[in-house]
Amino acid sequence: MEKRIIGHEAKTNRWGYAFVAPFIVVFLIFNLWPTINTISLGFTDLRGFNRTRNFVGLANFAKLITDPYFWSALGNTFIIWIFNFIPQLGMALVLGIWLSDTQLNLAGKGLFRAVVYLPNLLMAMSVAMLFRSLFGQGGHVQAPANQFLRMIGIYYNNVELGIPKDAFNFFRSEPFSRGLVSFIQWWMWYGHTLIILMAGITSIPTSLFESAVVDGANSSQIARKITLPLLRPIMLYILVTSMIGGMQMFDIPFTLTDRYGAPNNSIRTTVVYQYNIAFMGSNDYAYGAAISIGIFLITMILALMIFFLLQDRSELKSRNGGAK
């Protein structure tokens, strides 16, 4: 009987290996091998049509540390991410508390969640092309935004050219371009953040809310004293994952203007800069790989810093006390 059980388990394990094998093969070919190849490229001088790789040690990383364009791109990335993340988390938190409030008992909550999540299902590049056509790359007069300004009687006065009524070139303004990228990122992702926060709120025991209502607490007191403290781990997760996603921002800033982060490289993120170096112009694959490694290291360091600085100290102390 024991031999039959062992034979059945071995047969089941073989089927398990068969089902897992496709994922392992795809992971090895499209994830692990490109990662290893990128790391190895960072220590060579491969570029252009040259097929030979010469080992150059840490030369690419020394160049990266002193590269002002990389640090400028990193600054752009943080600016765009911060102006996207703060309103994203704030609005998602307010809506999540309202929609989950049993005292308000708002109608149509399921439909509203589905509607706000829909932008997250769209391709980022298609959304960027949509906004690019709305505001008109190059200040095109027929752009819908300029047509709307003309309709309500607002024009851009170009005194230097002597043109009293000219089309407004939206993408010549650095604040507008950065703001538009931040707005698109917010619009596409705040629904996803809302769903995660609402899942965290619904996981809080209802007995806590019921006890607070019995004690006479209002909705704002319940939100400040119960909901927000218990949502701390969820918000920490959202912060870390949003920061990682922000460091990988590519589609929208790449497509919105000229693929180089115009105007004046104000929306050129780190990944856009890496793509420009590796696959456009000089095709410096080795330095592009070094930039990728630098982005990974910066992202990992920031994620660890956020995790250790914002984790619940009281829970950590209780664990250490229990271990003693």
Side-chain angles (χ1 to χ4, degrees), residues 286-323:
Y287 188 53
I291 295 174
S292 298
I293 297 171
I295 295 172
F296 168 75
L297 292 176
I298 292 173
T299 304
M300 183 178 66
I301 292 171
L302 290 175
L304 292 175
M305 288 176 59
I306 292 172
F307 177 76
F308 285 111
L309 291 176
L310 299 183
Q311 66 177 335
D312 194 346
R313 300 296 177 183
S314 60
E315 182 180 353
L316 186 61
K317 290 180 180 179
S318 64
R319 290 179 181 177
N320 293 336

Side-chain angles (χ1 to χ4, degrees), residues 3-17:
K3 291 182 178 180
R4 291 183 179 178
I5 295 175
I6 295 174
H8 178 72
E9 289 181 353
K11 185 178 180 180
T12 304
N13 290 338
R14 285 196 296 269
W15 278 108
Y17 293 141

Side-chain angles (χ1 to χ4, degrees), residues 29-295:
I29 297 175
F30 296 102
N31 196 313
L32 183 60
W33 165 244
T35 302
I36 296 174
N37 187 48
T38 299
I39 295 174
S40 65
L41 272 177
F43 297 91
T44 65
D45 61 351
L46 183 66
R47 63 185 302 168
F49 295 100
N50 188 12
R51 293 183 177 273
T52 60
R53 304 183 184 185
N54 299 314
F55 181 76
V56 295
L58 299 176
N60 289 321
F61 299 98
K63 178 182 176 182
L64 180 64
I65 294 174
T66 59
D67 186 355
Y69 297 106
F70 172 76
W71 296 109
S72 175
L74 183 64
N76 293 334
T77 304
F78 277 116
I79 291 172
I80 294 172
W81 172 67
I82 289 172
F83 280 98
N84 148 49
F85 177 74
I86 293 176
Q88 178 189 142
L89 181 62
M91 186 171 183
L93 191 60
V94 171
L95 291 176
I97 292 174
W98 282 352
L99 294 174
S100 303
D101 194 336
T102 55
Q103 293 179 324
L104 293 177
N105 195 21
L106 298 175
K109 292 185 288 187
L111 177 61
F112 183 80
R113 285 198 299 263
V115 170
V116 298
Y117 188 77
L118 284 178
N120 191 245
L121 303 178
L122 301 175
M123 292 290 293
M125 192 163 290
S126 63
V127 175
M129 292 300 296
L130 171 64
F131 278 88
R132 175 172 173 158
S133 63
L134 285 176
F135 291 96
Q137 174 67 5
H140 198 275
V141 180
Q142 299 302 321
N146 276 318
Q147 290 183 355
F148 175 75
L149 292 178
R150 173 177 292 181
M151 182 180 65
I152 62 177
I154 298 177
Y155 297 92
Y156 174 64
N157 295 324
N158 196 329
V159 180
E160 293 180 0
L161 298 179
I163 304 175
K165 295 180 179 180
D166 193 12
F168 190 85
N169 192 339
F170 292 95
F171 293 117
R172 188 174 291 178
S173 170
E174 295 182 19
F176 175 83
S177 301
R178 284 176 175 169
L180 184 59
V181 175
S182 299
F183 171 79
I184 297 173
Q185 292 286 132
W186 166 82
W187 178 69
M188 292 189 65
W189 285 99
Y190 87 95
H192 177 266
T193 305
L194 172 63
I195 298 299
I196 295 177
L197 288 176
M198 290 192 67
I201 294 173
T202 54
S203 66
I204 299 174
T206 56
S207 58
L208 296 177
F209 298 113
E210 293 171 354
S211 301
V213 172
V214 171
D215 291 338
N218 54 36
S219 297
S220 62
Q221 290 174 331
I222 293 174
R224 287 186 289 106
K225 301 295 184 179
I226 298 177
T227 306
L228 290 179
L230 294 178
L231 279 180
R232 185 186 182 97
I234 300 294
M235 289 192 287
L236 178 60
Y237 165 79
I238 292 173
L239 175 59
V240 172
T241 54
S242 177
M243 187 274 299
I244 295 173
M247 289 294 293
Q248 299 173 353
M249 198 185 313
F250 174 76
D251 308 65
I252 294 171
F254 179 78
T255 311
L256 196 61
T257 54
D258 64 346
R259 299 184 296 171
Y260 287 93
N264 299 325
N265 301 327
S266 60
I267 60 172
R268 183 167 67 179
T269 61
T270 51
V271 181
V272 172
Y273 180 59
Q274 184 269 338
Y275 186 88
N276 294 152
I277 293 295
F279 304 108
M280 301 174 67
S282 60
N283 291 337
D284 195 340
Y285 303 120
Y287 188 53
I291 295 174
S292 298
I293 297 171
I295 295 172

